[in-house]
Each structure stands twice: as C-alpha cells, then as structure tokens.
Amino acid sequence: MINPTVVDLSRLQFALTALYHFLFVPLTLGMTFILASMETVYVITGKQIYKDMTQFWGKLFGINFAIGVATGLTMEFEFGTNWSMYSHFVGDVFGTPLAIEGLMAFFMESTFVGLMFFGWDRLSRGAHLAVTFLVALGSNLSALWILIANGFMQDPVGASFDPKTMRMQFRSFGALVFSPDAQAKFVHTTLAGFVTGAMFVMGVSAYYLLRKQHREFAARSFRMAALFGIISSLAVVTLGDALGRLDFLVQPTKLAAMEGIWHTSKPPYAPWKIFAIPDDKTQKDLFNVSIPYVLTPLVAHDFTSPIPGVDALEHSARAKVIKGIKAVVALKAYGTTRNPAALAAFRANESDMGYGFLAQRYAPDQDLSKITVQNLPSIVQKAARDTIPNVFVEFWSFRLMVLLGFVFVVVFAFCAYYSLRNELEKHPLLLKAATWAIPLPVLACEFGWITAENGRQPWTVFGWLPTFQSASSHDVGYMVFSLVGFAFLYSLFIAAELYLMFKFARLGPVQHLTQTPHAPAFVQPALGQPGFTDKSWADNSWQ
Amino acid sequence: MTNIIRILALAAVLALALMLAVVAGDFGPWYFAWLVGTTMIVLISVAGAVLFETQHAAGDTPYEHSAPTET
Amino acid sequence: MELYVALKVTWALLLGILLTGLAIMVGMDMGVGTLLRFVGRSDGERRTALAIIGPHWDGNQVWFILGGGAIFAAFPTLYATSFSTFYIVMILLLFSMIMRPVAFEYRSKVDASRWREAWDWAFLISGALPMIIYGAAFGNVLQGVGFHFGWDGQYYQNESFIWYLANPFALMCGILSLSLAVYQGGAMLMIRGEGVIAERARRYAICGGAVAALLFVAGGIWVQFIKGFMFAQPVDPGMAATPLNGPLVLMRTGAWMNNFHIHPLLWLLPALGLAGMIMGSFSLIARKPVLGWWLGAVAWIGTIFTAGGAMFPFLMPSSTTPSESLTVWNASGSEYNLGWMLVFAVAFVPAILSYTTWAFRVMRGKVRTETVIADEHSY
C-alpha cells in the first residue's frame, strides 16, 4: 500500500529542495560567462580595471556558487533516497545523463573553479582566461545533461519498457540527447541564467551609479551586462515560444493547463486569456478576459490545428485508463508467473500501461485485480481527471514567467540604449528600476520550473510512471526528520548568503582593491624550474 | 617545420569545429544555436566594453579621464 | 550475452575504482576538515590548513557526486534500494556534506571569532560524519540488509534504521574509514604545510594509520564469524537485471571467505591494504609525506577491493529475503546503457586525471601562514 501522505511529503521535499537549489543555479550559469567576457576584455586591452571587475564579480559569484554546489549534492542523491521506484524504473536511461554530467561537466567546472579563484598569480593571462571559460562551459554543460535527463521525464524518447526487468531500458542514445524537449529546454534555461547574471551585475552597478560610487567600474560593468542581457532576454523569449509549441505537440495536458483551455474550440477560434481565475473543481473560469483567434496561431503556428481542451483530454484519457488497467493486471501476472499468455495480454495494451498505474491508487486496496464492473466507471473517472495538472497553478506561474520575461526585454533595452549613449546618470529612475529588478529573473526562473514540473503532473515520466507510484516506501517519520533538517539548514544558509551578498556588494570594488595588495597566498616556485626550490615537491610523483 | 605543424593543428581544430557544427546542425538545431548564440552574446558584450574605451578616450563619457590602472 | 557479462564485470570494477577515488580524494579533504580544530590552534593556522586544500576540494568532491551518478546509471536498482533503505543515515550524510562547501566559502569572509568558530565546528562534523557513514555503509552491506521487493520492483524495508546506526561491526568499519581519512588528510597537511601545522598533522596521521591497521586486522577476523552470502548453485551471470525470481542464495558463517579460498591471489588485496597502512605510518615517521600520501592511497585500494573481492558478485545482500539480494548480475543497467557509459568513461576519465594533475601542479608548493593571513581572498 502506498501511503499518500508519504508521497505528498516526498513531493514537498523535492519541490522545496529543487526550487531552493534553483535560486542559485541561474546566477552561476550566467555569471560564469559574464566573468569570462570581462576577463576577455582584460586580456585584449590589458586594462587593470577589467581584471578588478572579474575579481570583484567573481567574489560575489563565489558566495552564490558555494550554496549552488551544496544544494546540488542534495539533488544528486534525492532521486535515490526519496524516489526509489522512479530510480529503479528509469535509472537505466535517466541515470546515464547524470553520470555523464559528472564525468564531463562537474569535474571540469569544479576543478577549474579552484584555479579561477586562486590561480591568478600562477597562470599566464591566456591560461587563466582559458580556465575561466572552462568554468563557464563546465557549468553550462552540467545544465545540458541535467536537462537532457529532465527532457526524458517530459517526453520519454530513446527508451522502452521491458516487462522482464520491470523498467524502462535505454534504446537510443541519439534520441535521448537530441530530444527536441531537451534541446529547447537547455537553451531556454541557460539563457534564463544569462539574463539572471546580467540583471545581477547590471543592478548592482546601477546601485553604485545612483550613489555616485565606483563610477568608472560600475559604468563598464553596466555596459557589458546590459548588452549581455538584451540579447539573452530576447533569445529567452524566442525559446519560450519554441517550448510552448513543443508542449502543444507532446504534452497537450500541460499546454491546456498553461493556457487555461477548458474546452476544445473550432480552429482558429481558440481564445488567448489575458487574465483568468481558473477553478479546478468546477473546471471553469470564475472570471476571464480573453482575445479569440490568438492562441491557435500563437501555439500551433498555423490556423487549422485544434488545440485540445481539458474536456477532450480527459475524455481520451478514459479509454487509455481502461486499456492501461488491463496492461498492468497482465504485467503483474507475467511478473509473478512468467506466463507467456500474460505477456501477450500485456503487449496488447502496453502503450497505455502508465494509465493503469494511474488508476491503481483508486482501486480497492490499491490492487487493480480487485476492480469490478461496478466500481470501474468511478475509478476511470478519477484517474482520467488526474491526468490534468493543477490549472490554477500552471496558468499563473506561466503567465507571471512570461510577463517577467517581457519586462526584462524592456528594462535591458532601455539600459543598453542609455549605456551606449553614456547617459545613464541622467535617468535615475531607470537605474532604480534596474536595482530593484535584481531578484526578478530568479523569480521568473522559479515560475519557469513550476510551469515545467507542475505541468508534467501527475507523471514523473510522462505517460509511463505516475508520481504517486514513484516515491520510496518510507514512514512518515522519516520524511518529517529530513524535512525539518532541510528547512533548518537551508534557512541558515540563505540567511548567511544574503548577509554576505549585501555586505560585499555594499562594500564595493574600491574597498576591495585597497584592502588587497594582490599578495599571493602561496609561495611561488622559482620561475622556469618548477618545484626545484621545494624539496617536498622534488621527490614526489604527482605528475 | 613549426609552421607546417601549426597549420596542421589549426586544420585539425577547424575540421573538428566543422564536424561539430554539421552534427549539431543536423540533429540538434537548438544546440547549434546555443553554440553560435552564446559566442555572439559574449563577443557583443566584449565589443560593448571596447566601444566604451573608445568613447572614453574620445571624451564622450561623463567620467574623469584618468586611466584606472592602480596596480 | 557474453558482452553483457563483460560489461557488468567492467562496471563492477569501475564502481570499485570510483569508490576508491572517492575515498582517497574526498577522504583527504574530510581528514583535513576533521583535523582542522586540532592542527590549527590559531585562526591563521586554521586558514592555512584550509588554504592547503582550498583550490582542490571542489574538484575532489566531484568524486562523491560522480559516485552517486554512476551507481544510478550502472546499477539503478542498487541506487534506488540502498539510498532508500539507509534513508536516515543518507540524510545525515547529506546534511553534513552540504555544510562543507558553504563552510569553505563563508568561513573567512567575516572577521568575527564566533562566526569562524561556528564554521570550524561545521568542518569537524562535515569531515568526520560522512567518513564514518561511508565506512559504516560497507559494514552494514557486509552483514546484509533487511529488504525485499514488490512485484513492480519497489523495495520494502524490513528492518528499523536503529540497527544501521548502532551496529557494532558497521561502526568499527566507520572508524576504520575515518582513521584512513585522517591519515590521508594529515599527509596532505604535511606535504603543503609547514612548522607546527605539519608537525601536529604528522602525529594525528601516524595515529590514524596505526588505528586503521589495527581495525583492518580486527575486521578481517570479525568477518570470519559473520554470516556471508553465497549462491546455492552456479548462476548465469548474463541474467536479466531484476532481483525478482532470482536464484537461491544461502547465508553461511564465513561465506565471505569463499572467494579467497577459490582464488588465493585475492589475498594480495588485504596484504596491500595492510602494507599501505603500516608502511605509510612509517614513512610519515620518517617525514616522507609524499610517499606516505601514495601509500595511503594504496591502503584505500587494498581495503575497498578486499571488501569488494570478498563480496563479489554481491553488492547488497538481503538478510531477510536472500534470494532477492542485489548482485552485479541482477542490479546492473542494460547492455546498451553500460556500453555507452563505458564509451564516456574511456573518453573522459583520462582527461579528468590529466587536468586534475595539472591543477595540483599549478597550485603546488608550501602554504605559509603569513601569506594566507595577508590575503583577504584566501579561505
């Protein structure tokens, strides 16, 4: 018997730890490339101020990076600790990108980040620049592999279910890596990170410009960040559109919830809702303002494709649930008896297996074989209703994300324009807006995560494995223990993080320059004869 | 001799880049867009800074004209 | 089928190498973290100790992350089952591990003794606890774990977590693991530290090596008396990767010695481990820390492969439903998956080893307390 409370607590814990981790990730993705850009200018022009910029923003980056690394540890292990059925079911294909992420990305990022911070006096300019670029590449490659893994959850390609091992087996590496969902999501997410990084650098620089502090330093940082941000923010919107179309093609339930489409309409009538208060219970809007004939071309990119609404999706899910129940009953028989007839029965309804799992929670004693003609309709009804994610949450998280996305385009456009004209200080309101906008991209990223993952519900692997089925069979007490601990530790971390961020951002770069005479932390070996001055080194064989 | 090696090495890098571009272009259009786009974003940001230095040298910026090279 | 068996064995070996790499590199940093309060009496000394591993701890930690990822991919059912059955200790491990990156980055950013003192305690906890848990996991697995599977492959736990926490044999393995970490960390502090730091580290490291050697021998004797696991009949190593409907498994006292009886060459492994610990301690006594560091690595290799060699092909035996024990044969990924992963491992592991070596080369040399104190950037 699966305990619904444990599943809910596991979901809560995963959502909280993932959302928390994702507070820090976007800034890392963007800041690394901004740091690399700044250092590129330093190497090209040889002007010291660009080195100072790289180091100062690098320090703020480091404060953020530490928590990103720490909370990332949780994510790597949480699949195993809390989602055992999920890990067993898809580990053969889902684990692979995670392992490759470690091999290809984490090692690169983490090894070179140490050299980036501490190697200034030990590496040539060119070598240090290469190190900084490798950190940027490494952190973005880790985004690539985790999003390839996530792409599989959204649109499971490259694997098929094997009744012998009771799990999804990896079939095509190419299909997994080049999955359209993974591709678009990778670009969308990293660009969102670029926007976050650009907004951070620009906002803090705007704060200095407003206070007429560190003006030369701030004006240059502002210029670079604004240009970085304007292109990134335009591109992030483009990719958002691409993702919307993908959802239309492979996750119609997500799209219906995002746009709050309760009923299928004759194309191209489908209205685009500017504002609505969707009510999931009655499947109606309590209130809405909408423009007809907009959504079809917006989502489908044509005027003839119908956009399925919640009613049609639920209707088609019912048939799948009925077939799915047959599939799961046959699968269970095959699993315990290895009877070829049962296997044949399973094969007949294989593609709807996931919908059978979905019905399991409503069956008597969670046992599908106990379903009778009498209780079948109500079970099918409930399971089909479950295939629709929470529309209110989906609708609003999506809308807020999109709204913020357009706000960023506007803010960056003005900022880039006035920065290029060197007239920033004539527009204090703009500078103020830029400062206050610092946390907004992070917020948009969180809404984006909610849109993507709430819209995936009720599945962990879309169409194949329900979330309800995926969790570990823990006691409630276990979950309370870990939740309390995470809440405590993560609260301490964020308090320390914000304290240090504000402290060092307020302190600013000049203080930082006068306090540090760039003293090398380590004793340099004599130039040209590596290590020979140092006896302990001479007899070792690291190399 | 060193020139030949250098040319060969550059040719190898070029061939690798072309292969990557062709594979990415064929199977992963968005990956290709990311490679090109990120490079472009970095370069435009760098170009903005270089432009700033030009404007600064020409006296087009509101900042006092002292080369900020303290160390 | 033949290729599949070869891939399974290869990945079992790679798993051993990965766990060893994790133990050596992460263990070293954990050892430094554990010793921090003891080798560094003043703030400057503690910062020096941190600066010694400062540029490398993050890269080293990836061995830990990769360990999780590689088990997930190569042995998915093992990943799912072990992390969930050991939930309480895994969460404790995570809690202590996640303190460490934050402690490194934040400790020296505020010049207040209470702030720094608090983070120093975090270093102690996040150094000692994970190593104890790491060793204890081996100890628990050697004794078998109480779990079974449902028809759909979901695990069910049959034992209380109290047993994992307070299990004398597992605790002994935990202390063995911590001792080796202290040894390895101490050796590193001697390589790159000077004066009092190196001297204090030397004393702790020698003790660590000696305690590890004693516990390793004690563990070897103890294992003779615990129940090991063995297949009742020869099995097909190419079997489908599912723990359900598995072949009969027996629990016999001393069964973990079977592999050593069949392949006497395996005795080289414990000999290697013990030699590493003893000779390592002597080389530290003789003030040859670099040699000592490498002997410490040898000790880890010997220790982990001794445990692996004894258990092979078992990965996590079930003490309550032995026939559903997880083995190299029934818990692995598919042939296709293992093949692709091997391609990536072959391509990237040499690259990782070379740039890690380069990073250590770039940052080589002694770390002096005066320069660390003068540098505000330093940890």
Side-chain angles (χ1 to χ4, degrees):
Chain A
M1 288 289 280
I2 299 169
N3 182 345
T5 314
V6 172
V7 177
D8 287 345
L9 290 175
S10 302
R11 287 184 66 189
L12 179 68
Q13 180 173 310
F14 197 90
L16 288 180
T17 50
L19 282 170
Y20 187 92
H21 177 56
F22 211 52
L23 288 172
F24 309 100
V25 173
L27 195 58
T28 301
L29 294 176
M31 280 288 270
T32 45
F33 269 114
I34 295 179
L35 292 176
S37 308
M38 289 173 171
E39 202 178 333
T40 305
V41 184
Y42 168 60
V43 173
I44 292 174
T45 65
K47 286 195 192 310
Q48 174 71 27
I49 193 164
Y50 289 98
K51 183 180 176 184
D52 295 340
M53 276 159 65
T54 316
Q55 289 192 326
F56 172 73
W57 296 113
K59 183 165 214 158
L60 297 188
F61 158 77
I63 294 169
N64 170 74
F65 183 71
I67 302 202
V69 170
T71 53
L73 285 172
T74 310
M75 304 319 299
E76 183 91 11
F77 288 79
E78 221 171 11
F79 295 108
T81 53
N82 290 84
W83 301 96
S84 66
M85 184 58 195
Y86 172 83
S87 302
H88 159 78
F89 193 82
V90 292
D92 192 46
V93 32
F94 185 88
T96 310
L98 259 64
I100 297 175
E101 181 184 23
L103 281 169
M104 189 192 261
F106 284 150
F107 263 116
M108 191 199 271
E109 177 186 14
S110 305
T111 306
F112 289 117
V113 84
L115 291 185
M116 186 176 102
F117 284 135
F118 301 108
W120 282 102
D121 303 313
R122 295 185 166 228
L123 292 166
S124 69
R125 284 181 187 187
H128 194 279
L129 178 64
V131 162
T132 309
F133 265 108
L134 285 171
V135 173
L137 190 65
S139 61
N140 281 269
L141 276 176
S142 68
L144 169 69
W145 289 103
I146 194 63
L147 288 166
I148 286 175
N150 181 268
F152 179 79
M153 300 169 81
Q154 312 284 351
D155 179 17
V157 287
S160 59
F161 182 78
D162 174 27
K164 226 175 181 177
T165 52
M166 291 283 175
R167 67 179 185 197
M168 307 287 283
Q169 302 246 102
F170 202 0
R171 296 275 181 245
S172 166
F173 188 77
L176 178 76
V177 170
F178 294 111
S179 142
D181 189 273
Q183 286 195 43
K185 204 161 267 170
F186 163 66
V187 185
H188 186 62
T189 309
T190 50
L191 285 170
F194 293 2
V195 170
T196 311
M199 194 64 95
F200 178 79
V201 173
M202 199 173 81
V204 177
S205 303
Y207 172 80
Y208 297 144
L209 288 174
L210 270 174
R211 299 169 60 108
K212 309 261 181 243
Q213 294 171 332
H214 328 298
R215 286 168 70 218
E216 299 231 353
F217 183 96
R220 286 175 172 85
S221 304
F222 193 102
R223 165 77 60 89
M224 294 191 73
L227 289 177
F228 202 96
I230 180 65
I231 305 175
S232 308
S233 58
L234 282 171
V236 92
V237 173
T238 311
L239 263 297
D241 171 66
L243 270 172
R245 189 171 145 69
L246 270 176
D247 289 332
F248 164 66
L249 294 173
V250 297
Q251 290 181 300
T253 46
K254 181 190 273 184
L255 185 89
M258 266 157 66
E259 300 290 359
I261 316 165
W262 298 115
H263 309 288
T264 316
S265 53
K266 197 169 171 293
Y269 174 77
W272 181 64
K273 292 178 183 170
I274 300 171
F275 184 93
I277 304 173
D279 179 41
D280 282 274
K281 273 226 176 74
T282 56
Q283 301 204 331
K284 269 189 206 124
D285 289 335
L286 298 180
F287 172 79
N288 78 49
V289 183
S290 53
I291 319 171
Y293 300 106
V294 169
L295 196 63
T296 310
L298 187 69
V299 168
H301 294 190
D302 63 32
F303 292 97
T304 49
S305 307
I307 299 177
V310 167
D311 53 356
L313 290 168
E314 264 196 45
H315 183 77
S316 67
R318 279 185 212 131
K320 290 182 181 176
V321 172
I322 293 173
K323 285 177 74 184
I325 292 172
K326 288 181 191 152
V328 173
V329 170
L331 180 67
K332 187 175 179 182
Y334 175 71
T336 38
T337 62
R338 299 277 162 199
N339 175 351
L343 184 61
F346 167 73
R347 289 288 185 209
N349 298 305
E350 184 178 0
S351 58
D352 293 319
M353 178 188 79
Y355 291 83
F357 281 137
L358 208 55
Q360 199 153 303
R361 70 183 298 184
Y362 299 113
D365 302 329
Q366 296 182 5
D367 185 351
L368 290 177
S369 58
K370 291 189 183 163
I371 292 179
T372 59
V373 187
Q374 283 81 29
N375 58 23
L376 181 68
S378 83
I379 290 170
V380 171
Q381 174 81 25
K382 284 183 200 158
R385 168 69 59 116
D386 270 0
T387 59
I388 308 298
N390 185 313
V391 176
F392 183 85
V393 170
E394 192 67 10
F395 183 86
W396 277 108
S397 59
F398 175 65
R399 261 166 190 59
L400 289 169
M401 173 184 75
V402 171
L403 176 73
L404 286 168
F406 282 103
V407 168
F408 302 148
V409 174
V410 174
V411 171
F412 278 122
F414 279 106
C415 286
Y417 178 74
Y418 287 116
S419 168
L420 285 169
R421 293 181 59 106
N422 292 308
E423 286 173 358
L424 282 172
E425 285 164 336
K426 292 181 192 160
H427 299 87
L429 268 179
L430 183 65
L431 292 177
K432 249 180 211 155
T435 309
W436 283 104
I438 291 175
L440 293 184
V442 177
L443 204 63
C445 289
E446 300 279 297
F447 283 131
W449 186 88
I450 295 171
T451 306
E453 309 310 326
N454 176 65
R456 194 193 64 231
Q457 299 304 328
W459 309 100
T460 45
V461 183
F462 198 82
W464 285 94
L465 186 70
T467 311
F468 186 76
Q469 194 99 349
S470 307
S472 298
S473 53
H474 289 316
D475 293 333
V476 175
Y478 281 27
M479 293 311 304
V480 172
F481 166 72
S482 55
L483 265 168
V484 169
F486 277 122
F488 176 69
L489 279 175
Y490 279 19
S491 307
L492 283 183
F493 288 173
I494 194 113
E497 204 260 358
L498 289 176
Y499 167 67
L500 288 178
M501 265 303 187
F502 277 100
K503 177 184 160 179
F504 282 98
R506 288 223 174 93
L507 210 59
V510 169
Q511 229 95 4
H512 151 94
L513 276 184
T514 48
Q515 275 183 11
T516 51
H518 298 282
F522 309 98
V523 179
Q524 294 248 28
L527 220 65
Q529 35 174 328
F532 287 166
T533 48
D534 174 2
K535 204 163 173 309
S536 78
W537 178 250
D539 70 340
N540 86 25
S541 35
W542 287 102
Q543 54 280 64
Chain B
M1 189 61 200
T2 42
N3 269 338
I4 295 173
I5 294 173
R6 198 171 292 166
I7 287 168
L8 282 178
L10 284 174
V13 171
L14 202 66
L16 202 74
L18 269 176
M19 207 181 74
L20 190 72
V22 169
V23 171
D26 264 10
F27 301 103
W30 281 126
Y31 292 153
F32 184 68
W34 185 87
L35 286 171
V36 177
T38 305
T39 315
M40 190 183 76
I41 292 172
V42 168
L43 287 181
I44 286 178
S45 171
V46 168
V50 174
L51 177 66
F52 184 95
E53 296 309 323
T54 316
Q55 291 170 333
H56 193 58
D60 288 347
T61 57
Y63 313 106
E64 56 276 20
H65 200 84
S66 64
T69 42
E70 290 149 43
T71 32
Chain C
M1 263 311 161
E2 277 308 304
L3 175 66
Y4 194 18
V5 176
L7 282 170
K8 283 178 179 179
V9 174
T10 308
W11 271 101
L13 271 175
L14 284 175
L15 179 67
I17 292 172
L18 202 65
L19 291 176
T20 313
L22 188 168
I24 297 171
M25 303 306 275
V26 181
M28 164 175 79
D29 295 345
M30 297 291 183
V32 173
T34 310
L35 289 179
L36 185 67
R37 301 184 57 84
F38 307 106
V39 296
R41 306 260 159 88
S42 67
D43 185 57
E45 287 169 8
R46 286 183 190 171
R47 287 184 63 187
T48 311
L50 290 178
I52 284 172
I53 51 166
H56 307 298
W57 70 267
D58 195 11
N60 293 343
Q61 180 173 265
V62 180
W63 285 97
F64 177 72
I65 301 172
L66 182 61
I71 297 177
F72 197 173
F75 298 100
T77 315
L78 175 68
Y79 173 84
T81 313
S82 62
F83 286 19
S84 279
T85 43
F86 291 138
Y87 189 70
I88 297 292
V89 281
M90 283 306 294
I91 290 295
L92 282 175
L93 176 73
L94 275 179
F95 285 167
S96 51
M97 286 290 294
I98 57 181
M99 281 188 222
R100 213 167 62 105
V102 188
F104 267 109
E105 193 61 41
Y106 290 4
R107 180 195 178 278
S108 301
K109 287 223 158 42
V110 176
D111 197 4
S113 62
R114 279 181 69 188
W115 171 275
R116 292 189 174 181
E117 190 69 15
W119 288 115
D120 288 347
W121 280 107
F123 272 114
L124 179 63
I125 297 168
S126 66
L129 193 59
M131 287 321 285
I132 294 175
I133 291 174
Y134 183 72
F138 277 92
N140 272 314
V141 165
L142 275 165
Q143 290 170 300
V145 182
F147 64 89
H148 72 276
F149 290 94
W151 70 271
D152 54 359
Q154 171 73 298
Y155 84 98
Y156 294 94
Q157 194 160 358
N158 299 341
E159 275 177 352
S160 158
F161 70 92
I162 308 277
W163 172 244
Y164 311 130
L165 283 177
N167 170 325
F169 180 72
L171 280 178
M172 195 201 74
C173 295
I175 294 169
L176 166 60
S177 148
L178 178 64
S179 312
L180 275 176
V182 163
Y183 173 87
Q184 201 78 4
M188 193 61 194
L189 288 175
M190 285 176 73
I191 295 175
R192 296 196 61 203
E194 290 185 319
V196 283
I197 295 174
E199 270 315 302
R200 288 180 200 139
R202 176 167 166 266
R203 263 182 282 136
Y204 290 111
I206 293 168
C207 289
V211 170
L214 277 176
L215 291 180
F216 189 54
V217 173
I221 297 166
W222 198 332
V223 162
Q224 313 289 327
F225 301 99
I226 66 173
K227 281 192 174 169
F229 293 74
M230 56 192 279
F231 285 114
Q233 288 131 22
V235 294
D236 169 24
M239 66 171 84
T242 171
L244 299 166
N245 309 312
L248 187 64
V249 170
L250 305 172
M251 288 175 75
R252 291 278 180 278
T253 304
W256 288 142
M257 302 313 291
N258 288 356
N259 283 345
F260 290 92
H261 296 320
I262 300 167
H263 308 287
L265 265 182
L266 282 179
W267 283 105
L268 279 178
L269 292 171
L272 206 63
L274 197 60
M277 293 168 198
I278 295 171
M279 286 163 63
S281 297
F282 277 114
S283 67
L284 292 193
I285 292 172
R287 294 200 162 77
K288 288 201 184 309
V290 176
L291 178 66
W293 192 93
W294 283 103
L295 284 168
V298 169
W300 268 121
I301 295 170
T303 312
I304 288 176
F305 277 85
T306 299
M311 290 180 66
F312 189 88
F314 288 91
L315 292 171
M316 184 161 123
S318 166
S319 54
T320 48
T321 321
S323 70
E324 291 182 357
S325 293
L326 296 179
T327 67
V328 175
W329 316 134
N330 74 7
S332 70
S334 64
E335 183 177 320
Y336 184 84
N337 176 28
L338 295 183
W340 266 106
M341 295 245 301
L342 192 62
V343 170
F344 274 87
V346 168
F348 281 96
V349 170
I352 291 165
L353 291 180
S354 39
Y355 64 62
T356 305
T357 312
W358 181 70
F360 272 94
R361 252 186 75 80
V362 168
M363 300 311 298
R364 70 188 177 273
K366 293 282 185 193
V367 180
R368 297 224 169 92
T369 307
E370 310 89 77
T371 40
V372 172
I373 292 173
D375 183 4
E376 188 221 5
H377 286 288
S378 186
Y379 285 143

